[in-house]
């Protein structure tokens, strides 16, 4: 199971390369988005906290917050 493998948020900062590591409000994230043809296999999934999952999704979908 993905949660057992990752155990915490795997988001890596582009600037510092530091991994978040939060264990609060974890969600399953598709590395290649499901809506872009990504599949739900173990290699395409990772655990992100709710904040980073939302951040990555908005970035991938090019959603801008006004």
């Amino acid at each position: 199971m993905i949660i057992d493998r990752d155990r915490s948020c795997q988001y890596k900062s582009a600037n510092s390369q530091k991994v978040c590591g939060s264990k609060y409000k974890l969600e399953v994230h598709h590395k290649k988005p499901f809506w872009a043809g990504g599949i739900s296999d173990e290699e395409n999934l990772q655990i992100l906290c709710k904040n980073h999952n939302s951040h990555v999704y908005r970035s991938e979908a090019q959603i801008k917050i006004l």
Side-chain angles (χ1 to χ4, degrees):
M1 187 172 193
I2 306 307
I3 193 88
D4 294 330
R5 181 192 72 192
D6 291 352
R7 298 184 179 219
S8 64
C9 178
Q10 299 300 301
Y11 178 83
K12 187 184 285 189
S13 170
N15 296 331
S16 70
Q17 297 298 303
K18 183 180 176 187
V19 174
C20 172
S22 174
K23 294 183 178 185
Y24 184 69
K25 292 189 177 182
L26 300 177
E27 300 177 347
V28 177
H29 171 74
H30 287 79
K31 294 175 188 177
K32 180 176 181 182
F34 192 72
W35 52 264
I39 58 175
S40 295
D41 69 354
E42 204 169 302
E43 293 176 10
N44 191 44
L45 300 175
Q46 67 180 354
I47 297 298
L48 297 180
C49 64
K50 182 179 177 78
N51 289 338
H52 282 128
N53 196 23
S54 295
H55 169 74
V56 171
Y57 172 74
R58 287 190 309 266
S59 176
E60 290 170 344
Q62 299 178 350
I63 298 171
K64 295 186 182 0
I65 298 176
L66 301 175

